[in-house]
Amino acid sequence: MAAEKPTLVLVPGSFVPPSFYTNVISAFSSKGYSIQAVDTCTVGKKPGAPPTMYDDAAHIASVVSKLADEGKDIVLVAHSYGGIPTSESLKGLSKDTREKEGKKGGVVRVAYMTAVVPELEENSAAVFSVLGDQAPSAYTAVDEDGWMFHPTPEITAGYVFSDLSPEEGLKWVNKFEQHSVVSFTNELTYAGYKDVPVSYLFCEEDKCVPPMVQQRCIDVIEKASGRNVDVTRVKNDHCPSVSAPEKVVDWFVHLVEIGGKA
């Protein structure tokens, strides 16, 4: 009997709920694979103090732990900002670590889709420092309650959805929700990418997380883990799930098929 393929758990980027990825989730599921998306705490304005990156990490860990306790192997996939809480969340969740504790299941691979991946004690700003004065101009603003929004959606569309027409990009930006600004200041306290094999979907036309930043993230992972990152390169923008969904679905299939193989 063939071994069950890992479950893919998708962590969204900033400003977007899981429904943003419905097209690739549905297409991947239709191929007979198991997938679910995490509803991050920092997306969607709420009363009270804005949630932190650590709140997202704890929520991701709870979702993954539940699946692991059911005996499932997991490939954890993070898009954009999601790379930070995903890395933070992995403490004690790798399959190897859980097996040593007599537990079943666990994370067998982490995969980053043009994602932000800091070193220990870094936040997202430190990751982008590699760009120096080439960094993109800020296209977000923060309200009086500490929630980010996009005051000029047309400019955002040009950065995030550069593969699309301005009109189509604007339609997608209008699906964005607000995002907690404090989450981008929180520093990484656990480099979970050292615990499991790592893959990276490198988007060569990304204007939001430019190639120089993506390469810096890959270098950080390889230095910390001592392992090569499995890199897939595509000539697409920051949201390939929108601009090139078939490529993302093919990558998802690749991830669950290789599972925990180094």
Side-chain angles (χ1 to χ4, degrees):
M1 186 174 180
E4 182 180 354
K5 299 298 183 185
T7 294
L8 192 148
V9 175
L10 177 61
V11 179
S14 57
F15 299 98
V16 294
S19 59
F20 185 82
Y21 305 90
T22 295
N23 59 339
V24 291
I25 290 172
S26 298
F28 183 66
S29 296
S30 72
K31 293 179 179 290
Y33 297 101
S34 177
I35 181 172
Q36 71 177 77
V38 176
D39 196 357
T40 46
C41 308
T42 52
V43 172
K45 187 172 180 178
K46 308 165 182 69
T52 67
M53 180 273 286
Y54 306 115
D55 293 320
D56 280 340
H59 181 52
I60 294 164
S62 69
V63 171
V64 170
S65 295
K66 183 175 184 297
L67 290 169
D69 288 342
E70 294 171 1
K72 297 184 184 300
D73 291 348
I74 297 122
V75 172
L76 192 52
V77 179
H79 181 214
S80 192
Y81 155 82
I84 309 174
T86 292
S87 303
E88 181 77 18
S89 75
L90 279 164
K91 188 173 185 179
L93 291 180
S94 74
K95 184 171 183 176
D96 286 348
T97 298
R98 287 175 58 90
E99 279 185 345
K100 290 172 184 174
E101 297 172 350
K103 299 176 182 177
K104 54 189 179 179
V107 177
V108 296
R109 177 172 295 272
V110 62
Y112 299 100
M113 182 161 63
T114 190
V116 180
V117 186
E119 290 188 76
L120 274 177
E121 300 181 352
E122 283 188 341
N123 60 20
S124 64
V127 177
F128 283 88
S129 66
V130 68
L131 293 174
D133 57 11
Q134 300 177 53
S137 301
Y139 48 89
T140 60
V142 183
D143 71 14
E144 66 278 4
D145 300 317
W147 290 86
M148 291 187 292
F149 64 99
H150 295 267
T152 50
E154 298 84 359
I155 294 176
T156 299
Y159 278 113
V160 181
F161 300 103
S162 54
D163 283 354
L164 306 181
S165 69
E167 296 77 18
E168 190 65 20
L170 187 58
K171 289 179 184 178
W172 283 93
V173 174
N174 287 334
K175 298 175 186 286
F176 286 5
E177 300 183 22
Q178 288 185 254
H179 190 101
S180 164
V181 70
V182 70
S183 65
F184 283 94
T185 69
N186 300 139
E187 296 178 347
L188 191 72
T189 69
Y190 189 77
Y193 43 78
K194 64 181 174 49
D195 294 347
V196 292
V198 177
S199 296
Y200 198 103
L201 186 65
F202 195 115
C203 292
E204 296 179 344
E205 305 297 330
D206 193 339
K207 295 181 179 180
C208 182
V209 180
M212 191 182 297
V213 174
Q214 295 177 64
Q215 187 59 54
R216 196 255 198 193
C217 294
I218 291 167
D219 293 343
V220 162
I221 295 165
E222 291 186 337
K223 180 181 177 182
S225 66
R227 291 188 297 263
N228 291 333
V229 173
D230 164 50
V231 180
T232 299
R233 294 177 178 269
V234 295
K235 292 187 179 299
N236 293 103
D237 63 17
H238 185 62
C239 290
S241 61
V242 174
S243 58
E246 69 288 344
K247 294 181 184 178
V248 173
V249 173
D250 287 347
W251 185 60
F252 285 177
V253 171
H254 165 70
L255 296 175
V256 296
E257 291 295 335
I258 62 172
K261 297 175 185 174

